[in-house]
Amino acid sequence: MTETAEAERQLLIVEDDSAFARTLSRSFERRGYAVMHASNAEEVQALLETRSPGYAVVDLKLNGEASGLACVQMLHRHDPKTLIVVLTGFASIATAVEAIKLGACHYLAKPSNTDDIEAAFGRATGTTEVELTNRSTSIKTLEWERIHEMLAETGFNISETARRLGMHRRTLARKLGKQQVK
């Protein structure tokens, strides 16, 4: 395999759930990828000093208050040709738009498997063939999109999000708990 082909098959997984990262790594390794793992932005930065992956899978919400969007931006700045797929259990239009603006080629809601992610790498360019729907958005959906947009803006800080939305922190925590988002 040439050095260029080798670089193109390098995959970086940015995921703080070590069990999920291990499973995903094994699955991609069986498909011929050289897999690297980072669990936060600092580890991504350190890896980028010596490596330049052709592919990346980035979890939107990392441990603590960290956002995977910062990792997406860092990876895109390092090499705009890197195909980046964002995975999240906190799917919203706002975070999807931001991920794409920052350099991701695709955005997938969890649970997603290796087939879904690899297919997303192959759909890095847009298409005009997407079916348009006439269904209006419900109030509940709009509320969730606004909550997730604000969560992303505050780095997933529940107290600050509740303050900005004008609701009690416990009310917001209950709303998030009802969705059982992981």
Side-chain angles (χ1 to χ4, degrees):
M1 189 179 285
T2 68
E3 190 174 314
T4 306
E6 180 68 29
E8 290 174 4
R9 295 296 283 186
Q10 287 187 10
L11 170 73
L12 172 60
I13 296 174
V14 183
E15 172 65 62
D16 56 1
D17 179 344
S18 59
F20 179 66
R22 221 176 8 262
T23 301
L24 207 54
S25 293
R26 279 191 229 128
S27 185
F28 273 105
E29 284 169 350
R30 283 192 295 272
R31 293 171 187 237
Y33 290 85
V35 179
M36 301 163 276
H37 174 249
S39 57
N40 57 48
E42 292 78 25
E43 291 177 16
V44 171
Q45 185 65 47
L47 274 168
L48 292 179
E49 290 175 12
T50 59
R51 301 271 182 90
S52 189
Y55 301 89
V57 177
V58 179
D59 186 16
L60 180 65
K61 186 175 184 299
L62 300 171
N63 274 340
E65 304 299 319
S67 169
L69 293 177
C71 295
V72 170
Q73 186 176 38
M74 188 184 319
L75 285 161
H76 185 69
R77 268 197 219 131
H78 178 75
D79 184 356
K81 292 179 284 186
T82 302
L83 296 176
I84 306 165
V85 172
V86 173
L87 291 181
T88 184
F90 296 88
S92 75
I93 291 172
T95 54
V97 168
E98 288 306 312
I100 301 302
K101 283 164 73 175
L102 291 171
C105 71
H106 223 289
Y107 181 95
L108 297 172
K110 287 181 179 177
S112 293
N113 60 31
T114 309
D115 291 333
D116 299 332
I117 296 167
E118 199 166 44
F121 287 139
R123 293 190 313 266
T125 57
T127 178
T128 58
E129 303 303 314
V130 175
E131 184 180 332
L132 301 176
T133 62
N134 288 331
R135 192 182 60 152
S136 61
T137 306
S138 71
I139 295 293
K140 192 170 198 151
T141 301
L142 290 172
E143 177 187 40
W144 273 106
E145 287 178 2
R146 181 67 180 134
I147 287 171
H148 288 292
E149 176 184 4
M150 193 58 61
L151 277 167
E153 281 182 26
T154 63
F156 297 92
N157 181 319
I158 292 176
S159 296
E160 179 62 16
T161 299
R163 188 187 68 70
R164 289 186 186 184
L165 293 172
M167 68 172 62
H168 195 278
R169 183 188 54 77
R170 287 186 187 143
T171 302
L172 178 59
R174 275 193 299 276
K175 285 180 178 286
L176 293 171
K178 284 181 184 178
Q179 289 298 314
Q180 298 178 354
V181 177
K182 293 184 180 179

